[in-house]
Amino acid sequence: MQRWLFFFCKMGKKSPVLCIGEEQPKNCFTELQVLKGHFDIVRFLVQIDDFRCASAGDDGLVLVWNVETGERLQELRGHSQQITAITTITCKNEVTLNTSLITASSDRSLSLWDPDTGNRVQTISDLHSSVKCLLVLERLCVWLSGGEELCVWNRDFQLQCQRPNHSDTGITALIELPKNYIAAAMDKKIMIYSLTVSADSSLSVAEIRCLSDHQDQIRALINVNDGLFASGSHMGELILWNATEWNLLAYEHILWEESQDYNQTEIRMGAPKPSEMSIQHLTTNGNLILAAVGSGLYVYSVQTRSVVAYRKVAHDSNVLHTMLLSDCELMSCSEDGSVRMWEIQDLPLPAEPASSGFFGMWSFGRSNKQSGPPSKKVIDIPNIRMLELTGDLIGHSGAVQMFVSFTEKGLVTCSADHLLILWKNGERQSRLRSLALFQKLEERGGL
């Protein structure tokens, strides 16, 4: 049973601190600060620099926070509807680097913000449709917006070129590929675009190839390393792609399996709901790919092209966001309001039956089109490991949308409960408070 200690303070005073307790020895996040300011679901967090982050959500607000103190630094107002995408863009001058924020909203506008002053520097309104995703290409000094059309803009918010698409869902994700190519997720397809810079420095965009290997809507699209990217679909397909040739390198389809050895008293599992096998989020460290699949977690090795660890039911509801802390540690958050820390460990014997949950079977090939090679149960794959829960961060009362790590400074989470929580290393905070006390005593001549 965890011990809770909550101190509420008024806005402008010291943020409330919650001591989680000592029952989780591998969980360093034993203190937290609750950050208030939003009035609706907070969906996005973006890191500005080593000590600041910005939050945005359905209330149309963008708030800038100091993650060391929990202080709200700026309140960016201007959008009349929910924020649909946010990213940072860095501008260089002769002396310094300046980081700005770009936001997109359902009010069909785009805005450029100065997080230092809170001023809106540029705005574009009356777009044909809402922008769903943003991508900054620092090398070309341009940024892209995706929705019903793909648009390329310069740093002064001037439209350079655009290309309409014919998908009902529009562009939902964008990633940069080598040699000035872009991959865009549109429904079940991935479109490859080329960006060409002419002699007069003008830009043009052209459609090069359509990758149509997914059988359901693409929910996640990420860069893995310089030579690979990956995509995940609503029906549990994970595809690894070559980033320069754009060909399929590996295909994983997560299926459920009914037990073959059953009797009349055994309850056999029916077909899963689509949400239970949907890949909600992908993340990678270049060596491993971590997939949030329904309420479970799935760890895939890029090198061996195989499953290395899994957890059939990691949360009580769908996992919304994940992060690999190292090759053996990871973190996830869920619709159930929890944030959990995991460690990859050897699977105990006897192994947990793979047919009783999410990762019952992997088939290699197009299993939904035709019968492929013999399927493998998870427990039959050599060197398969499990995910052991090492920390459970309980503080939100609504779905945790995502989180951002600031290493030793802490972890920031945002939620449907309108709150942000700054999770801190309790031992580090105690040392900092002791150091600050000693410094004050020295200044006052007390030592």
Side-chain angles (χ1 to χ4, degrees), residues 226-426:
D226 291 339
L228 301 171
F229 69 96
S231 54
S233 78
H234 185 64
M235 65 180 292
E237 302 165 298
L238 173 63
I239 298 183
L240 193 64
W241 306 89
N242 183 300
T244 55
E245 302 294 332
W246 317 311
N247 58 306
L248 186 152
L249 298 179
Y251 180 99
E252 294 278 353
H253 190 192
I254 300 169
L255 302 173
W256 279 28
E257 179 189 44
E258 291 186 352
S259 173
Q260 300 299 317
D261 302 319
Y262 67 96
N263 54 41
Q264 292 181 348
T265 61
E266 182 180 8
I267 300 176
R268 300 180 66 191
M269 300 178 64
K273 299 178 182 178
S275 62
E276 294 172 338
M277 56 194 295
S278 174
I279 295 180
Q280 309 289 342
H281 187 260
L282 292 174
T283 191
T284 183
N285 60 7
N287 299 318
L288 302 173
I289 296 175
L290 174 59
V293 186
S295 63
L297 297 170
Y298 163 86
V299 184
Y300 179 84
S301 170
V302 174
Q303 182 177 5
T304 64
R305 310 280 171 85
S306 63
V307 180
V308 294
Y310 75 102
R311 184 80 179 196
K312 298 182 302 183
V313 181
H315 290 265
D316 294 332
S317 301
N318 286 337
V319 180
L320 300 180
H321 192 80
T322 60
M323 178 174 61
L324 282 161
L325 304 175
S326 68
D327 281 348
C328 62
E329 296 176 310
L330 52 104
M331 186 172 290
S332 59
C333 65
S334 167
E335 292 176 347
D336 62 15
S338 66
V339 181
R340 291 181 173 174
M341 303 167 63
W342 306 90
E343 186 175 84
I344 298 178
Q345 298 181 358
D346 291 332
L347 193 67
L349 295 176
E352 189 177 21
S355 60
S356 63
F358 281 103
F359 299 98
M361 181 192 301
W362 282 265
S363 64
F364 301 85
R366 308 302 169 78
S367 59
N368 56 321
K369 290 184 178 180
Q370 57 186 8
S371 59
S375 61
K376 297 182 180 181
K377 292 182 179 180
V378 171
I379 57 175
D380 294 334
I381 300 176
N383 303 319
I384 189 68
R385 305 175 76 186
M386 67 176 293
L387 301 179
E388 184 67 22
L389 181 65
T390 58
D392 200 356
L393 311 184
I394 302 174
H396 285 291
S397 61
V400 181
Q401 303 294 317
M402 65 174 296
F403 50 80
V404 172
S405 173
F406 283 82
T407 59
E408 74 279 355
K409 294 183 179 67
L411 178 82
V412 184
T413 58
C414 65
S415 170
D417 60 11
H418 311 175
L419 300 176
L420 279 73
I421 292 182
L422 173 57
W423 306 86
K424 296 184 176 183
N425 184 317

Side-chain angles (χ1 to χ4, degrees), residues 2 112 136 165 181 207 215 229 240 253 289 295 308 416:
Q2 292 182 339
L112 178 68
V136 175
N165 68 75
Y181 289 101
E207 183 180 311
Q215 305 305 307
F229 69 96
L240 193 64
H253 190 192
I289 296 175
S295 63
V308 294

